[in-house]
Amino acid sequence: MDLFRQAILRPEPPEEFALLTVQQAINPQKQTKLVQDENQLLENILRSLLQELVAAAVQSGQKVMQYGVSIADGESSQGQIPRLLDIVLYLCEKEHVEGGMIFQLLEDLTEMSTMRNCEDVFGYIESKQDILGKPELFARGKLVMLRTCNQLLRRLSKANDVVFCGRIIMFLAHFFPLSERSAVNIKGVFNTSNETKYETEAPEGISIDFNFYKTLWSLQEYFCNPPSLVNAPGKWHKFTSSLMVVLNTFEAQPLSDEEGNAHNLEDDAATFNIKYLTSSKLMGLELKDPSFRRHVLVQCLILFDYLKAPGKSEKELPSEAMEEEIKTSEERVKKLLEMTPPKGIDFLRSIEHILERERNWVWWKRDGCPPFEKQPEEKKLVQDGTKKRRPRWRLGNKELSQLWRWADQYPDALTDTKRVCTPSITDYWKPLAEDMDESAGIEAEYHHKNNRVYCWKGLRFSARQDLEGFSRFTEHGIEGVVPLELLPTEVRAKYQAKPSERTKRIKKEETKNSAQQAEENQIATPPSEIDNEVSRADLEASAAPMETDAGIATVNVSQDETPTPEDNPKQSSDTDVAQEAGQTEADTEAETGLIDGETDAEVDLDAVG
């Protein structure tokens, strides 16, 4: 302890001697960091030294935070207690000792000091707020600091120490993060101890409606405790009836712009009080005050917003009839706020914005007060051999997601005339045709046929512009759809149809059709022996002229001269024509015989006889 007494008298900064003093006083196992038992021993030494310094300051009649300041040094020097706190704060910040030690010493100091001295102690705490709020210290001492501030608030007078209480509350608001559960009213408990007292009996000589006076101030009982209206139909009916009386009075006595401008809102803000006076003699003046009306109407909106707030259980939710009444009353209240000068519409928008933030606050508390701060995600390197996960796009694929992001940057992109541009078939399939050329040396994995989107678009273009190429898809796949003029000669032969095969196919179809027609004719005509003989006779008769004609032609040729090569085609063509004519006549006679039946047969038999 003597070593620390000497250390707090040294004028050097704590960085030069603090750690050395601890090493000399404790003899730690580690040179730069104390273990648990050593921390406890050091804390006991420092708390005992602090208690002695406070006792000495009280005996000397000096302020605790100014004890030990010499007059010769002036204002630049510190007292012994602030000097001791600075040394411990440095050791905690550098993690040489346990981080909660400084908070424990501050709590002991406030408990040992009077309220007058506590204001100076709290001034020291405010000056070191940035260091005390560091993560390594805050995690160790936040509960101790909260306990210390709450003890100070309980000791202070709410009427006489308003400024000091405000300093403590502001410090807690800055010191603790917004997501700290200990600083949030999670259950939504109301301050039911805030009672509004007003007159219950009418005084003599009053010039206002005393029933309206009691009705207006009775609303404060419900504004103070909104949950009491949910499961009590009698209270809700009484509240709505009282509220309708107040709203009807406000509507019957609207304020003019002159009355609204007569009250300067900035002056009202400077002399703002927590509660209005409830004397019945002031009722007439308060009704003409726009600020008073706004306070009552805003209280109504806050109550309605609580009743409609999410996150309640089924028992706490209002009934359907209650919801309708809330909706009707809320519309009337908002209309009155718009009518209340000055700047009624702007005032209503501000209140609605505040209530919207309050609803978000309620949702956040209902979800368990999750922290707002999010740590940045570290990029993890993909190891070799591990399977890469496919990226997930917001709108299904990369193109649609990119188009959605571009919508804000290029709002006129969809109306641009250059946007609609359909390429021609030859231009579109040219990259795939180059891939199919073996002389280009493009590897198979880089071919455009592996791109599904490219192939799908190409098939749509071919279906509209090149049906012949589109028909080759079933036989040759996507490469067969490419126009033949784009392909090299050796590749084109693979996808081009051969004429011989096409001709064979056509002849085969014609032969099949003629065979089917002959079968149909045989089925249509019944077989008979007479018809067969008649048909044979007709065929022989028709064949005789053909042979005669052929013989005559042969004799004529042999008698005249030997035909030249130029005449051979003519003669052969004439012979073919004659044969075709004879064949046609035979067919005609055969058909006639089949149709005439017995008549033709009788004629032929007479001729033969």
Side-chain angles (χ1 to χ4, degrees):
M1 188 179 296
D2 294 336
L3 292 174
F4 284 99
R5 285 199 186 95
Q6 297 174 3
I8 59 179
L9 298 176
R10 298 177 63 174
E12 296 89 359
E15 298 87 18
E16 298 182 1
F17 61 87
L19 181 59
L20 180 61
T21 304
V22 171
Q23 292 174 352
Q24 293 175 354
I26 302 299
N27 294 323
Q29 299 177 5
K30 299 179 180 180
Q31 294 296 323
T32 58
K33 192 173 183 178
L34 302 183
V35 297
Q36 184 176 0
D37 295 340
E38 296 170 347
N39 274 307
Q40 188 63 41
L41 176 60
L42 179 61
E43 183 178 343
N44 294 335
I45 294 173
L46 294 176
R47 294 177 72 177
S48 301
L49 178 59
L50 180 63
Q51 187 175 0
E52 291 182 3
L53 293 175
V54 172
V58 172
Q59 292 178 0
S60 63
Q62 296 182 1
K63 292 184 177 181
V64 172
M65 300 300 289
Q66 295 180 0
Y67 175 72
V69 177
S70 61
I71 302 176
D73 295 337
E75 298 180 355
S76 60
S77 61
Q78 286 182 319
Q80 295 183 10
I81 294 178
R83 186 67 171 169
L84 176 63
L85 295 176
D86 286 345
I87 295 173
V88 178
L89 182 61
Y90 168 76
L91 294 173
C92 293
E93 183 183 4
K94 300 302 180 182
E95 298 183 357
H96 296 312
V97 298
E98 202 268 330
M101 192 176 298
I102 181 62
F103 295 95
Q104 190 63 50
L105 292 179
L106 290 173
E107 184 182 19
D108 293 346
L109 184 58
T110 55
E111 291 178 354
M112 291 185 292
S113 303
T114 60
M115 296 309 304
R116 221 172 132 190
N117 290 325
C118 283
E119 192 168 355
D120 296 336
V121 174
F122 192 76
Y124 175 84
I125 295 175
E126 288 177 322
S127 64
K128 306 297 182 180
Q129 177 180 343
D130 295 337
I131 301 176
L132 294 174
K134 289 185 176 181
E136 57 271 12
L137 298 181
F138 176 79
R140 294 284 187 177
K142 62 178 182 178
L143 296 180
V144 179
M145 180 57 67
L146 180 61
R147 184 171 63 243
T148 302
C149 293
N150 288 334
Q151 289 175 356
L152 286 176
L153 289 174
R154 283 193 289 266
R155 291 170 61 186
L156 292 173
S157 172
K158 294 182 180 179
N160 300 327
D161 301 321
V162 178
V163 177
F164 192 12
C165 291
R167 287 173 57 189
I168 295 174
I169 294 174
M170 291 297 295
F171 169 78
L172 290 174
H174 287 87
F175 184 70
F176 286 88
L178 189 61
S179 58
E180 179 63 32
R181 291 174 60 89
S182 59
V184 179
N185 185 10
I186 298 177
K187 297 181 179 180
V189 180
F190 287 86
N191 184 17
T192 56
S193 62
N194 183 16
E195 298 181 359
T196 301
K197 297 180 181 181
Y198 55 94
E199 301 173 5
T200 56
E201 297 181 358
E204 296 180 359
I206 189 171
S207 59
I208 64 167
D209 186 359
F210 191 75
N211 291 328
F212 173 75
Y213 165 80
K214 290 196 300 182
T215 302
L216 175 63
W217 288 111
S218 65
L219 294 176
Q220 299 299 322
E221 299 176 6
Y222 308 105
F223 293 152
C224 179
N225 189 16
S228 63
L229 297 173
V230 178
N231 297 323
K235 282 188 176 182
W236 172 252
H237 179 70
K238 187 177 179 180
F239 167 75
T240 53
S241 58
S242 300
L243 180 61
M244 291 302 108
V245 173
V246 175
L247 296 181
N248 292 334
T249 304
F250 286 172
E251 291 175 351
Q253 300 179 11
L255 298 177
S256 62
D257 294 337
E258 295 179 356
E259 291 175 339
N261 295 329
H263 295 79
N264 192 347
L265 297 180
E266 294 182 358
D267 296 341
D268 292 346
T271 59
F272 175 76
N273 294 314
I274 298 175
K275 301 183 70 172
Y276 279 89
L277 299 177
T278 59
S279 175
S280 58
K281 298 179 182 179
L282 301 174
M283 191 78 260
L285 296 175
E286 289 174 340
L287 287 177
K288 295 180 181 180
D289 185 2
S291 179
F292 177 80
R293 289 196 180 191
R294 285 178 172 176
H295 275 74
V296 177
L297 295 174
V298 169
Q299 282 181 311
C300 294
L301 291 180
I302 294 173
L303 185 141
F304 295 151
D305 198 65
Y306 169 78
L307 296 177
K308 297 186 304 179
K312 297 186 179 69
S313 60
E314 295 182 357
K315 296 181 180 180
E316 297 177 348
L317 293 175
S319 60
E320 295 181 0
M322 191 173 175
E323 289 179 355
E324 290 293 331
E325 294 180 359
I326 290 173
K327 184 178 180 181
T328 305
S329 302
E330 188 176 14
E331 291 177 355
R332 292 185 63 184
V333 170
K334 290 182 178 180
K335 188 174 181 181
L336 283 171
L337 281 174
E338 289 182 356
M339 296 169 56
T340 304
K343 300 179 180 179
I345 298 177
D346 296 338
F347 180 80
L348 176 60
R349 289 177 180 173
S350 301
I351 295 299
E352 289 177 342
H353 177 69
I354 294 172
L355 293 177
E356 180 66 25
R357 292 177 63 89
E358 181 66 19
R359 282 190 287 270
N360 296 334
W361 180 262
V362 172
W363 275 105
W364 174 72
K365 290 196 293 183
R366 192 206 67 168
D367 295 337
C369 305
F372 288 96
E373 299 82 4
K374 293 184 178 180
Q375 299 296 332
E377 297 181 358
E378 298 180 357
K379 294 183 179 179
K380 298 181 179 180
L381 299 177
V382 180
Q383 299 179 357
D384 296 337
T386 58
K387 185 178 180 181
K388 296 182 180 180
R389 302 180 65 180
R390 296 181 62 183
R392 293 183 179 180
W393 304 104
R394 181 181 178 185
L395 297 178
N397 54 48
K398 180 179 179 182
E399 288 75 15
L400 287 177
S401 301
Q402 191 173 11
L403 180 62
W404 183 266
R405 291 196 302 269
W406 285 351
D408 296 335
Q409 302 177 4
Y410 307 100
D412 300 332
L414 295 177
T415 59
D416 189 4
T417 57
K418 299 180 180 179
R419 186 180 68 87
V420 181
C421 181
T422 303
S424 63
I425 286 296
T426 55
D427 294 340
Y428 189 83
W429 289 115
K430 193 172 182 180
L432 183 57
E434 294 177 355
D435 297 341
M436 296 170 63
D437 188 3
E438 297 181 357
S439 61
I442 301 176
E443 298 179 2
E445 59 179 340
Y446 301 109
H447 283 193
H448 287 75
K449 66 179 181 181
N450 300 326
N451 189 345
R452 296 183 178 180
V453 177
Y454 175 81
C455 297
W456 178 75
K457 290 181 179 180
L459 288 174
R460 287 177 61 88
F461 292 153
S462 298
R464 294 179 181 179
Q465 304 179 22
D466 185 15
L467 287 176
E468 183 180 356
F470 183 76
S471 63
R472 294 194 297 269
F473 175 75
T474 56
E475 185 176 357
H476 302 288
I478 193 64
E479 294 180 344
V481 185
V482 180
L484 298 177
E485 59 268 18
L486 297 177
L487 300 175
T489 307
E490 59 275 9
V491 180
R492 188 184 308 172
K494 179 181 177 182
Y495 301 100
Q496 191 173 11
K498 298 180 180 180
S500 58
E501 295 178 357
R502 185 175 182 182
T503 305
K504 289 179 181 179
R505 192 184 305 113
I506 295 172
K507 289 182 178 180
K508 186 177 181 181
E509 292 177 355
E510 291 177 353
T511 305
K512 185 177 181 181
N513 293 334
S514 61
Q516 291 179 355
Q517 187 174 1
E519 291 177 359
E520 292 176 357
N521 293 335
Q522 291 178 3
I523 293 172
T525 305
S528 61
E529 296 178 358
I530 299 173
D531 295 340
N532 292 336
E533 293 177 357
V534 172
S535 61
R536 290 194 190 97
D538 293 339
L539 290 173
E540 291 175 358
S542 62
M546 291 177 62
E547 294 175 357
T548 306
D549 295 339
I552 294 171
T554 305
V555 171
N556 292 335
V557 170
S558 61
Q559 289 178 357
D560 294 340
E561 56 185 355
T562 304
T564 61
E566 295 178 358
D567 296 335
N568 286 335
K570 295 181 181 181
Q571 293 178 3
S572 61
S573 61
D574 294 340
T575 306
D576 296 338
V577 171
Q579 291 178 357
E580 291 178 359
Q583 183 67 28
T584 304
E585 292 176 358
D587 294 340
T588 304
E589 292 176 1
E591 291 177 358
T592 304
L594 290 173
I595 294 172
D596 294 341
E598 296 178 356
T599 304
D600 294 338
E602 292 176 357
V603 173
D604 294 338
L605 290 172
D606 295 340
V608 172

